[in-house]
Amino acid sequence: MRQKRAKAYRKLMHLYSMSFGFRQPYQVLVDSEMCKSAVAQKLDFVKQLYTVLQGEVKPMITQCCIHELYLQGKEQQTAVDLAKTFERRKCNHREAIPGDECLESVIGEHNKHRYVVATQSHPLRVKLRSVPATPIVHINRSVMVLEPPSDVTLRAKETTEEQRLHATAPDLALVGTSAVQEDKPKKRKGPKGPNPLSVKKKKPADIPKKSLQRKVSVVAQEAAVGVNQESARLVSLKSSSTKRKRRRKSHKASIDNLVVNDEVNVNE
């Protein structure tokens, strides 16, 4: 597949996903004619679907479509074998009906189950273009093609986008209850301050010169008084240490006095 075509298909599936809720794996309804064309063109059907839809796919087929293949005999046995590999989609038809009518009844008026339709039936494709949000895939000359969205699908897309712009009834009811609650006064929250751990400490304010000089003079006076007291204490200690001590007579002098006294007594 060319890059330009792959980009266009990717945009188409994005439109279906965002506007109508299509999700992977995409459910692909296959009819009997598509099975016969895939076998005739020798296509790897599931791989081609994956390439065209740009995502995981889940091929599905109804019992009525398989019954159409059975009615065509053994010549279409390979198409029957291919159809048996697909998931069976219940169509709730007790008796088999034509495949186009079966797929049309399964899709319904709004394609609420989000099916992608792979069909080779031109009348069925014309009918499905009138159903919004219905991607259609067909094979053209051995190339699988995803049709562009129909006008009905584009109008449905615009209406859904317009509805999303306006509030719904439940939303309006919620807004009414919230408006009643908002009448109560609320505390106004101001801007948060900076982290105190990351803020530098404030420098102390400048002290006026007069008060500074007064403090300096007081401190100087106190220091002078302290110096005077300390000097007086040192002087007193010095005077007490230099006091004259009382001299004691030596032992020799006392002995001399005793000898003199004895001589005086002897002379008398």
Side-chain angles (χ1 to χ4, degrees):
M1 182 185 293
R2 294 180 180 178
Q3 187 176 3
K4 187 176 180 180
R5 184 180 297 174
K7 186 177 180 180
Y9 290 165
R10 192 181 303 114
K11 285 184 177 181
L12 283 178
M13 295 313 298
H14 182 72
L15 180 147
Y16 287 115
S17 299
M18 299 300 294
S19 300
F20 303 107
F22 280 73
R23 295 290 180 269
Q24 297 186 32
Y26 301 118
Q27 301 180 100
V28 184
L29 280 177
V30 185
D31 69 342
S32 58
E33 295 296 326
M34 176 62 78
C35 293
K36 291 193 298 182
S37 298
V39 171
Q41 300 292 340
K42 297 180 181 180
L43 297 177
D44 188 348
F45 186 73
V46 178
K47 184 178 179 180
Q48 289 293 323
L49 280 178
Y50 176 84
T51 305
V52 169
L53 299 181
Q54 301 288 315
E56 299 293 333
V57 295
K58 185 192 292 185
M60 308 174 78
I61 193 167
T62 62
Q63 187 64 33
C64 297
C65 294
I66 290 181
H67 184 72
E68 278 188 345
L69 292 174
Y70 281 131
L71 293 177
Q72 295 178 14
K74 294 183 179 179
E75 296 178 357
Q76 302 298 334
Q77 186 61 40
T78 53
V80 172
D81 295 338
L82 176 64
K84 285 182 178 179
T85 60
F86 302 155
E87 185 177 329
R88 196 67 55 89
R89 170 64 168 83
K90 291 182 180 181
C91 56
N92 297 326
H93 296 139
R94 293 184 179 180
E95 295 182 0
I97 62 175
D100 292 358
E101 296 179 6
C102 179
L103 291 181
E104 189 177 355
S105 65
V106 171
I107 295 296
E109 296 181 357
H110 304 287
N111 192 15
K112 62 180 181 179
H113 296 294
R114 308 292 183 267
Y115 289 121
V116 179
V117 181
T119 179
Q120 289 295 99
S121 174
H122 185 268
L124 179 60
R125 296 206 303 266
V126 172
K127 291 180 181 178
L128 292 179
R129 289 190 188 108
S130 62
V131 179
T134 306
I136 301 173
V137 177
H138 68 276
I139 296 175
N140 184 17
R141 296 181 183 179
S142 72
V143 177
M144 192 172 288
V145 178
L146 175 64
E147 292 187 2
S150 62
D151 296 336
V152 178
T153 300
L154 294 176
R155 285 196 296 269
K157 171 182 172 291
E158 292 176 359
T159 54
T160 53
E161 289 179 351
E162 186 67 23
Q163 289 176 357
R164 289 177 182 175
L165 295 176
H166 301 288
T168 59
D171 294 337
L172 292 174
L174 291 174
V175 170
T177 55
S178 61
V180 173
Q181 293 177 358
E182 287 178 357
D183 293 339
K184 297 179 181 179
K186 292 184 178 180
K187 293 182 179 179
R188 185 177 179 182
K189 295 182 179 180
K192 295 183 179 180
N195 186 359
L197 299 177
S198 63
V199 177
K200 293 183 178 180
K201 294 182 179 180
K202 293 183 179 180
K203 296 181 179 180
D206 296 335
I207 302 172
K209 292 184 178 180
K210 291 183 179 180
S211 60
L212 182 61
Q213 292 175 358
R214 192 179 303 156
K215 288 183 179 180
V216 170
S217 61
V218 171
V219 171
Q221 292 176 1
E222 291 179 354
V225 171
V227 169
N228 293 333
Q229 291 178 355
E230 185 67 20
S231 59
R233 188 175 66 82
L234 292 175
V235 169
S236 61
L237 289 174
K238 187 176 180 181
S239 60
S240 60
S241 60
T242 56
K243 187 177 180 181
R244 186 177 181 181
K245 295 182 179 181
R246 184 178 179 183
R247 293 182 63 185
R248 293 183 180 181
K249 295 179 180 180
S250 61
H251 184 62
K252 185 177 180 180
S254 59
I255 293 173
D256 293 337
N257 291 331
L258 290 173
V259 172
V260 172
N261 292 332
D262 290 339
E263 289 177 358
V264 170
N265 291 331
V266 171
N267 293 326
E268 289 178 357

